[in-house]
Amino acid sequence: MTTKPILAKAKAAVYAEVLLKTAPDPNSIFELASQFDQLLKTVRGSAELALTLANQHLAARERRAIAHEVFIHLRPELLAVFEVMVERGDLDVLARAHAQFERRAEQALGVVIIDVTTVVPLDERLRSLIIKKYASQLGSGVRLREHVDPGLAGGIILSLHGRRIDASVVSQLQSARSVLIRP
Amino acid sequence: MAEITASSIESVLRRQLDAIMTSVESREVGTVIQVGDGIARVDGLKDAMSGELLEFVGAGSQVVFGLAQNLEEDEVGAVLLGDVTVIRENDQVRTTGRIVEVPSGVNFLGRVVDPLGEPLDGKGPIVADGYRPVEFRAPGVIERQGVNEPVQTGILAVDSMIPIGRGQRELIIGDRQTGKTAIAVDTIINSKGKDLICIYVAIGQKASTVASVVETLHRFDALDYTIVVSATAADPAPLQYIAPMAGAAMGEYFMYNGVDGQPASATNPGRHVLCIYDDLSKQAVAYRQMSLTLRRPPGREAYPGDVFYLHSRLLERAVKLSDENGAGSLTALPVIETQAGDVSAYIPTNVISITDGQIFLQSDLFFQGQRPAINVGISVSRVGSSAQIKAMKQVAGSLRLDLAAYRELQAFAQFGSDLDKATLDQLARGARMTELLKQGRYVPMAVEDQVVSIFAGNEGFLDGIPVEAVLRFRAELLQYLRAAHPQIGEIIRNEKQLSEQTSELLRNAIAEFLEQFATQL
């Protein structure tokens, strides 16, 4: 049995734990979770960036400097942890570290984090409606991570723990289209 | 043409609108981490099943399907079954809860489709009668019965000495350009009017070759009962990998359902299907490419360790069903290409051990003019005479042994100069029988013509004819019998055996013809 997955898991746990411990307060934990999510999406979304940060032919301090420059807007705790990850060539554990941090953050905050995507920003009424509904279903506190995507045309998409509830207008229209164009 | 009215438009629209599902469902989603070489690594999807169909949502909400292959601790390796260029990192992936299915039905007959059932021939969309899973468990022992009906290939050498039955797996193996596809195409052409649906699966071939096969089938009116499933060399490896299984699935639709579309049973017979996989060597190469890109550990010749299982589970789907299950059948003719005649290589030996016999084609026989270039000595059909009509058994029963004795004698005679009359006669007979087995492309012979030809050879009617005139004799004899004695062919066709009376009739007719023929020599 290869030790590499075990090692990767252990490393990811260390990064997640350190990041959690550096957060000064619960609100920071939530903000760190959101920024970590964005960081992961950014790295994944750009193959060039990912390859550069993982490029072993570049000196470690060079990779660290690139990471610092690109992600300077992040919270300093997250940036510091990410720079260490890049410097040590541990970019392949980024996704695991993110998953582990999300889990730890939810445990620390005593909530479940739900990603909500809507066409326009949520108003207070809708926000509290969603929180109330899922708090009762999940038996736990709920914290929303809100996103805006005009491409949905309407409706709402909810994502939590790898599951997605898509009630957006655009997906309903796509479903209707696929039925109507069927021969 | 039906009149289009406002009310008919309204009713169609209402029906389609009612079919739209507006319910909101919760689905598991993952994210593409890496994509390339037709493979995507997906983060998440912890509940994905092996072989499950995944939906990749690419740019512009374009959906590309994929197959979950590698289930790892925190990611899933999937092969993409469509346009890989629309999928990028960070794209969303959804599980579908189902495995890959292909459409099938009578509307697919005469069409050229890709392994997902999409038409390639530009003749418009196809309305499917049903869907079948690409991966399907082969029927068990109880659901089967022994092979007892012939598949007439129309090739004299095959039908007489290497008979193929409905439900059998017979391998066609040989080097490049030895006539493997020609045997398959001739079999399809000869299946006209024999209640046999043919499915020709082209894997990894040139598109021009597939087009040429389609054109040939069309020319001989064979396309009407044939489906061509094409995954050419330009198609991605995953499509080449599933193509044979898609062909088998399309065939299984006809085998497991009666003409009325209802499940086959004792009172609702299933249909008979012939599946030709041309060729499985290329499917193995595509599977190797897929597996190596998925980082699966390579085995012998860099093939993945389950390459045997790839072919065995495909070929086990060839079956002759029991009467209770409708008595339908699926006959498989897999094709394997060897390199320099090496039948002891990895993939050829795998498939030889799976199939119920093989037809060996050899390049040296081909270049000597023996076409089809079948080495009858090492070709075999393990089903044997239970797949032959009685008339053929009667005339061809000892043909293989006779030819084997002839070949041995021929080798021996090269060293000796003084041979006795019996030996010379045996050599003469063997040479003429070998010449008799030659046959052109796209000229399949009806079984009664084959019986007559071999009968003429066995009875010694060819012994006085020069070897180079044997084929002309055969052609003209058959023409003569059709014109002057049509009842003989009809008797053989109907009774399927040669009674004493029929044999005497035939003997006299051939003698009659020989007198005329001899004067022209």
Side-chain angles (χ1 to χ4, degrees), chain B residues 67 98-99 121 136-137 161 172 188 206 266 273 346 351 390 473:
Chain B
L67 270 181
R98 54 192 174 95
I99 54 174
D121 50 12
F136 188 69
R137 186 192 67 87
M161 291 176 286
I172 303 171
I188 296 176
K206 292 183 295 188
V273 182
Y346 186 32
V351 183
K390 194 172 175 192
F473 175 87

Side-chain angles (χ1 to χ4, degrees), chain A residues 5-6 9 40-47 95-96 157 159 161-167 170-172 174-177 179-183, chain B residues 13 15-17 19-33 43 45 47 57 60-61 73-74 89-90 92 94 125-127:
Chain A
I6 300 172
K9 213 171 173 179
L40 180 64
K41 283 192 173 111
T42 306
V43 171
R44 276 184 179 165
S46 169
R96 280 183 197 258
I157 297 177
S159 303
H161 294 168
R163 293 204 74 87
R164 184 173 161 112
I165 300 168
D166 190 340
V170 69
S171 66
Q172 301 286 334
Q174 276 160 10
S175 160
R177 181 178 180 273
V179 168
L180 290 171
I181 64 172
R182 209 178 290 161
Chain B
L13 198 51
R15 196 172 57 242
Q16 289 201 309
L17 288 170
I20 296 171
M21 283 175 40
T22 54
S23 60
V24 172
E25 48 186 16
S26 163
R27 291 162 93 173
E28 196 181 4
V29 292
T31 311
V32 175
I33 305 172
D43 179 49
L45 295 184
D47 294 335
V57 183
S61 301
E73 194 180 347
D74 52 3
E89 288 87 356
N90 268 350
Q92 204 189 90
R94 304 191 281 239
I126 309 173
V127 177

Side-chain angles (χ1 to χ4, degrees), chain B residues 423-444:
Chain B
T423 307
L424 286 170
D425 288 346
Q426 200 173 354
L427 284 170
R429 173 70 64 90
R432 281 147 184 82
M433 293 305 284
T434 304
E435 187 71 13
L436 195 64
L437 296 178
K438 289 184 184 176
Q439 198 170 340
R441 284 186 80 172
Y442 315 140
V443 281

Side-chain angles (χ1 to χ4, degrees), chain B residues 166-385:
Chain B
R166 294 191 177 189
Q168 188 181 349
R169 296 90 45 98
E170 184 77 9
L171 173 64
I172 303 171
I173 181 168
D175 280 1
R176 47 182 277 281
Q177 301 294 312
T178 48
K180 301 184 296 296
T181 303
I183 289 184
V185 170
D186 277 353
T187 307
I188 296 176
I189 293 171
N190 197 51
S191 299
K192 188 170 182 173
K194 294 193 171 65
D195 186 33
L196 187 66
I197 292 167
C198 301
I199 299 177
Y200 179 81
V201 185
I203 306 143
Q205 296 186 39
K206 292 183 295 188
S208 58
T209 307
V210 180
S212 152
V213 168
V214 171
E215 197 272 329
T216 303
L217 293 176
H218 178 70
R219 189 158 28 108
F220 290 96
D221 294 328
L223 207 51
D224 297 337
Y225 51 89
T226 306
I227 303 173
V228 177
V229 179
S230 172
T232 64
D235 287 318
L239 279 183
Q240 295 184 38
Y241 155 68
I242 68 163
M245 295 183 275
M250 289 182 193
E252 281 170 342
Y253 172 80
F254 296 103
M255 183 178 68
Y256 286 115
N257 292 290
V259 175
D260 56 0
Q262 296 304 308
S265 65
T267 51
N268 188 23
R271 286 165 283 185
H272 301 282
V273 182
L274 171 70
C275 274
I276 296 161
Y277 308 115
D278 191 2
D279 58 66
L280 292 187
S281 320
K282 295 192 176 63
Q283 187 208 20
V285 167
Y287 187 53
R288 176 173 63 184
Q289 178 186 324
M290 250 175 59
S291 300
L292 291 173
T293 321
L294 283 166
R295 302 260 177 208
R296 288 178 173 176
R300 179 176 166 184
E301 293 181 26
Y303 288 103
D306 61 346
V307 72
F308 184 96
Y309 180 53
L310 170 71
H311 291 144
S312 66
R313 71 179 188 266
L314 168 68
L315 295 174
E316 273 298 302
R317 291 161 77 172
V319 61
K320 170 67 182 169
L321 290 173
S322 62
D323 293 337
E324 292 75 31
N325 290 298
S329 68
L330 194 147
T331 308
L333 291 184
V335 176
I336 287 282
E337 184 175 294
T338 51
Q339 303 296 323
D342 182 15
V343 295
S344 62
Y346 186 32
I347 301 301
T349 48
N350 275 358
V351 183
I352 286 168
S353 67
I354 295 167
T355 51
D356 305 319
Q358 52 277 347
I359 299 171
F360 278 108
L361 297 161
Q362 290 189 315
S363 306
D364 47 359
L365 291 175
F366 188 90
F367 294 122
Q368 283 168 22
Q370 185 72 32
R371 296 173 199 180
I374 299 174
N375 184 331
V376 295
I378 53 175
S379 300
V380 71
S381 166
R382 301 187 206 194
V383 164
S385 58

